[in-house]
Amino acid sequence: MAQFLSANVERLLNHVIGLDPDSQARLKKLQGKSLQVRLRELPWPILLQFSQRIDLSIVEQPDDLVKASCMLELNIETLQQLRDSSKLTQLIQEQKLILVGDMYVAQSVSSLFQELHIDWEEELSQYVGDALAHQTFVGARSALHEAKTQIEAGRSKLSAQLLRADGLAVGATELAHFSDEVDQLRSASERLSARLLRLEMAAKVGH
Amino acid sequence: MSDHAPQTEQPHSENTPTTTHFGFKQVETQQKVALVKEVFQSVAAKYDIMNDLMSLGIHRLWKRYTIDCSGVRSGHKVLDLAGGTGDLSARFSRIVGESGKVILADINEAMLKVGRDKLRDLGIVSNVDYVQANAEELPFPDNTFDVITIAFGLRNVTDKDKALASMFRVLKPGGRLLVLEFSKPSNELLSKTYDLYSFHLLPKIGQLVANDADSYQYLAESIRMHPPQEELKAMMEHAGFEQTTYQNLTGGIVALHRGYKF
Ligand SMILES: C[S@@+](CC[C@H](N)C(=O)[O-])C[C@H]1O[C@@H](n2cnc3c(N)ncnc32)[C@H](O)[C@@H]1O
């Protein structure tokens, strides 16, 4: 079920933006707005709806799709570049991105993630006290590791569940897609892990 | 529980009192309402944790799927009927935003209270109203809601036809009803396994966690007595819904029915 994926991605997004105390203010600009993202690699569009948090849905039937404030169509590789909101126009010109609707929404979402200032040490030191805050990076990485294993476990558990012989059955191609998505997610989290490591190094040097 | 006395005796017509099923038992129609109430009164506090345990957490995905199919958007007015502890309402509330409204309606005040507390803890207050109401006689004007959902609620309702008619009445033209409910597994083996689970394991878990095997025995029985896919679809059509369809989830253990009012 695609909802398994969307639930996890949603949790991850909200967790990450929850770590930046300023993100609520930026999220506020988006309240009541929605963004539809059509990744060419995915069978269904993704809908992000903004309130005091982000609700993410995967809409399988076109009729159920709610008209969003803004719609983006792009490849997964381009997704990465969206984090730089100044590049939007360039991406459109290069035909890497189709944007329909309110460009301001796309920009705000982009800057929401671009401007994330997560003080990992501060964040995590709350859990372990102020003692040698950099040690806590270890905790962050193991959380990440846990998330990854959870995703992996989910993939194998779900393969069986997904292959149902009824109306909602997910075909082999879709399952392959799903697997690809998981790979994407995993490499994204590996990149995050690498960034964490760099941060940790920087923190150590600073001490 | 089985020797629970009916609270009122006067039959509402000159006919002999009609009976209905309560789980596998036959009880007087009026009595079922009281019995169902008792069940949910007694499970309310442990309801959420039991849901996770009983469905291994999958109920969250079923509910999520339901919401993804609802077409709900900013500004909509949504009725989460038999909404219990408010799982669907929480998400609806965020999606409809300040210009929209969510009504969490349930016949049982204990369930409503747990729901209200939970939503308050989640910081959701401004656009959710809590209404104690019987699905059979909804206290709302005609053509009020853009979307109505009833998740794991319909099987507990005594007169389902009456309830569906009532939902049809309060739905706006163009609006849709989504019924998420246990159903009939399409596969014989799955059906058997599931029976085994719900009749043997479920009451035991209920006993262990909530110290209440009876209520969970009722839940298992009520699941079995609920009309299967095609029958429920026909009932919805009978109530006036159009373009009625259903989708089996998890092999038909659960089905999501939808219908529109035009
Ligand atoms: C199994 S719970 C489902 C709660 C919630 N929708 C969920 O999915 O978690 C069933 C709910 O239906 C309510 N209920 C039973 N009969 C009802 C009726 N006639 N009208 C309204 N609600 C009713 C019960 O009080 C209970 O809260």
Side-chain angles (χ1 to χ4, degrees):
Chain A
M1 212 190 244
Q3 278 65 32
F4 179 76
L5 182 77
S6 65
N8 277 301
V9 175
E10 182 184 290
R11 192 175 309 144
L12 195 72
L13 287 181
N14 284 296
H15 181 69
V16 169
I17 58 173
L19 291 177
D20 182 346
D22 297 331
S23 60
Q24 267 304 323
R26 270 175 282 135
L27 202 51
K28 207 159 190 129
K29 290 193 219 150
L30 281 163
Q31 280 213 359
K33 302 271 196 258
S34 52
L35 176 71
Q36 189 199 118
V37 183
R38 291 178 173 271
L39 289 176
R40 299 201 176 104
E41 290 84 353
L42 289 190
W44 314 289
I46 297 166
L47 184 69
L48 301 167
Q49 287 164 302
F50 303 94
S51 57
Q52 67 272 31
R53 49 172 276 150
I54 300 177
D55 282 285
L56 189 146
S57 18
I58 290 185
V59 183
E60 296 176 23
Q61 296 192 17
D63 287 350
D64 296 337
L65 201 60
V66 170
K67 194 173 176 300
S69 327
C70 179
M71 193 275 283
L72 301 179
E73 192 179 319
L74 70 173
N75 290 321
I76 282 180
E77 304 103 73
T78 319
L79 197 58
Q80 191 62 5
Q81 300 175 46
L82 277 188
R83 288 194 61 213
D84 185 352
S85 57
S86 65
K87 280 219 183 107
L88 284 180
T89 331
Q90 189 193 327
L91 289 173
I92 295 171
Q93 277 161 0
E94 289 170 3
Q95 301 192 331
K96 287 183 175 165
L97 172 70
I98 299 175
L99 186 152
V100 183
D102 188 352
M103 182 149 180
Y104 174 75
V105 172
Q107 282 166 339
S108 308
V109 176
S110 164
S111 56
L112 175 65
F113 289 99
Q114 185 185 12
E115 292 167 23
L116 277 181
H117 294 294
I118 299 168
D119 186 344
W120 296 100
E121 283 194 39
E122 163 64 23
E123 185 54 39
L124 296 164
S125 67
Q126 289 175 4
Y127 296 98
V128 291
D130 278 334
L132 286 181
H134 76 261
Q135 272 192 352
T136 58
F137 279 108
V138 180
R141 267 213 308 281
S142 80
L144 203 61
H145 179 72
E146 198 195 321
K148 272 192 282 183
T149 24
Q150 215 186 325
I151 292 166
E152 285 302 317
R155 163 151 65 178
S156 45
K157 192 170 79 193
L158 249 97
S159 310
Q161 202 181 309
L162 284 166
L163 292 168
R164 285 159 303 176
D166 55 35
L168 201 78
V170 173
T173 41
E174 281 159 353
L175 189 62
H177 264 302
F178 176 71
S179 259
D180 288 348
E181 287 169 46
V182 175
D183 286 338
Q184 289 288 345
L185 201 62
R186 195 179 35 196
S187 65
S189 66
E190 266 152 19
R191 281 197 302 275
L192 188 61
S193 176
R195 274 181 53 210
L196 265 175
L197 189 67
R198 280 206 306 278
L199 277 168
E200 182 180 9
M201 292 306 189
K204 269 188 188 151
V205 173
H207 268 280
Chain B
M1 200 159 65
S2 52
D3 52 6
H4 184 96
Q7 286 169 334
T8 48
E9 267 151 33
Q10 78 287 15
H12 42 61
S13 70
E14 63 272 37
N15 298 335
T16 47
T18 44
T19 65
T20 185
H21 51 79
F22 174 76
F24 289 166
K25 298 185 198 89
Q26 281 296 121
V27 297
E28 278 182 24
T29 303
Q30 284 168 308
Q31 201 187 349
K32 172 163 173 170
V33 179
L35 290 170
V36 168
K37 180 170 177 202
E38 206 172 286
V39 165
F40 286 102
Q41 202 84 23
S42 77
V43 302
K46 294 263 174 69
Y47 179 78
D48 283 346
I49 175 168
M50 281 303 294
N51 251 357
D52 275 334
L53 270 176
M54 280 158 43
S55 73
L56 312 169
I58 302 175
H59 74 106
R60 293 169 188 279
L61 297 182
W62 294 328
K63 288 172 183 167
R64 206 181 167 88
Y65 183 73
T66 304
I67 293 175
D68 288 355
C69 289
S70 69
V72 166
R73 58 179 148 82
S74 178
H76 267 175
K77 204 162 181 187
V78 180
L79 173 63
D80 179 11
L81 185 54
T85 58
D87 277 353
L88 282 90
S89 288
R91 196 172 171 87
F92 278 140
S93 154
R94 292 192 298 268
I95 295 176
V96 302
E98 281 162 17
S99 56
K101 180 121 240 142
V102 178
I103 311 280
L104 174 57
D106 199 290
I107 201 169
N108 191 299
E109 49 188 306
M111 292 292 278
L112 268 182
K113 186 175 179 316
V114 176
R116 187 198 303 251
D117 291 348
K118 184 163 93 184
L119 296 192
R120 194 181 295 141
D121 289 348
L122 288 171
I124 291 165
V125 270
S126 59
N127 63 354
V128 182
D129 284 349
Y130 303 84
V131 177
Q132 191 176 357
N134 185 345
E136 293 171 22
E137 286 159 14
L138 292 169
F140 307 107
D142 296 0
N143 311 327
T144 303
F145 298 101
D146 297 288
V147 173
I148 301 178
T149 56
I150 177 163
F152 305 115
L154 193 61
R155 69 170 188 280
N156 301 299
V157 173
T158 310
D159 189 339
K160 297 180 182 59
D161 290 314
K162 200 171 164 197
L164 287 169
S166 182
M167 292 177 222
F168 188 78
R169 182 182 66 75
V170 301
L171 196 62
K172 280 183 192 168
R176 74 179 84 177
L177 166 70
L178 294 166
V179 181
L180 181 66
E181 191 50 271
F182 287 102
S183 208
K184 193 169 165 36
S186 43
N187 167 304
E188 198 54 31
L189 188 68
L190 181 60
S191 181
K192 286 266 152 28
T193 318
Y194 182 62
D195 265 5
L196 201 70
Y197 167 73
S198 58
F199 285 107
H200 298 277
L201 211 55
L202 196 72
K204 290 212 176 77
I205 304 179
Q207 179 61 38
L208 230 78
V209 179
N211 198 18
D212 188 355
D214 282 353
S215 294
Y216 287 92
Q217 179 73 29
Y218 158 73
L219 290 183
E221 293 177 5
S222 70
I223 289 168
R224 188 53 119 46
M225 297 301 286
H226 189 70
Q229 288 85 335
E230 283 296 333
E231 198 178 321
L232 178 57
K233 180 170 179 284
M235 285 166 73
M236 287 172 67
E237 281 160 3
H238 181 71
F241 290 97
E242 292 179 53
Q243 290 186 15
T244 311
T245 53
Y246 65 84
Q247 281 158 306
N248 285 336
L249 309 182
T250 319
I253 289 181
V254 162
L256 178 66
H257 282 70
R258 70 161 88 190
Y260 295 81
K261 172 174 173 178
F262 291 116

